[in-house]
Amino acid sequence: MSLVIRDVSKVFDGLQVLQGVNLKFGDKGIYCLMGPSGTGKTTFLRILMGLERADTGEIKGVEGKRFSAVFQEDRLCEAYTPLDNVMMTADRFVTKEAARGELCRILPEECVSRPVYTLSGGMKRRTAVCRALLAAYDILVMDEPFAGLDEETRGKVIGYVREKTEGKLVILSTHMEEDAAALGGMVVRL
């Protein structure tokens, strides 16, 4: 079943953040939300996940769906290791060994067992991406998931996301046309 957004609007403190948004997403594929800063991409994603309420409009097709997310902030438990962070939200079929293997695909192996607070921003970002991908979900939402990654690492993580989300519905925000192209995603302008 597809996801349909009809006339969704949101105002914060008298400022219109979203106005009459109408979109339709298929049940699988990568959709890249694009638009200048301040066009409401993050707000839209938060409304989609039920973390904010729209002032008007409706969203059909999310009933009973499980979301996984990469937020703009990494939202990791800093005192725990990347492996611990991934296992906190991992699908029940993901073993600790499998999670370690997945982390090692996008992080240096010596980082997997260190406390997150000792890692660089880019390493934290990759941990957040891996955590979201290994959770049980029907819809993956990613808000600027590749921010702070150098070009080589960005390419590696984009390839990883593409591989791990095959056949899934992914809705992500990005400012980079190159990200959308590398993901093979459909561009949706807000």
Side-chain angles (χ1 to χ4, degrees):
M1 178 183 180
S2 60
L3 191 59
V4 179
I5 291 85
R6 288 193 189 114
D7 296 319
V8 168
S9 296
K10 182 70 179 175
V11 175
F12 284 116
D13 297 326
L15 177 67
Q16 186 85 44
V17 180
L18 294 172
Q19 184 169 6
V21 174
N22 291 288
L23 297 170
K24 186 174 182 180
F25 300 99
D27 60 353
K28 61 184 174 184
I30 298 176
Y31 294 85
C32 300
L33 295 178
M34 299 192 76
S37 292
T39 55
K41 296 181 297 294
T42 296
T43 300
F44 172 77
L45 294 175
R46 291 180 56 79
I47 290 170
L48 184 64
M49 291 186 289
L51 301 174
E52 295 278 350
R53 291 180 74 85
D55 295 328
T56 64
E58 63 180 345
I59 298 175
K60 299 271 190 195
V62 294
E63 304 80 16
K65 299 286 193 213
R66 299 168 299 170
F67 284 90
S68 185
V70 176
F71 295 94
Q72 278 188 347
E73 319 79 29
D74 297 318
R75 298 193 182 185
L76 300 170
C77 295
E78 295 273 327
Y80 291 89
T81 68
L83 183 57
D84 293 333
N85 273 273
V86 168
M87 291 306 297
M88 285 179 202
T89 61
D91 185 303
R92 63 188 173 110
F93 299 110
V94 175
T95 65
K96 203 167 191 171
E97 295 76 30
R100 176 182 289 282
E102 292 298 321
L103 279 163
C104 288
R105 291 182 61 192
I106 57 174
L107 271 178
E109 188 171 354
E110 64 274 7
C111 297
V112 173
S113 299
R114 287 177 24 201
V116 167
Y117 70 80
T118 68
L119 303 180
S120 71
M123 290 173 181
K124 290 177 184 180
R125 197 71 183 148
R126 286 177 270 169
T127 300
V129 167
C130 189
R131 179 184 58 187
L133 290 170
L134 295 184
Y137 66 90
D138 301 302
I139 301 171
L140 177 63
V141 173
M142 306 175 91
D143 197 356
E144 300 287 344
F146 314 117
L149 300 180
D150 63 73
E151 192 174 330
E152 182 181 337
T153 303
R154 182 184 218 96
K156 185 179 193 178
V157 174
I158 286 173
Y160 181 70
V161 168
R162 246 186 112 153
E163 174 196 326
K164 298 299 286 184
T165 60
E166 185 72 35
K168 298 276 195 168
L169 175 57
V170 180
I171 302 171
L172 67 87
S173 68
T174 181
H175 290 288
M176 308 282 289
E177 297 277 351
E178 302 83 18
D179 291 354
L183 284 161
M186 176 182 274
V187 172
V188 177
R189 304 241 179 237
L190 268 188

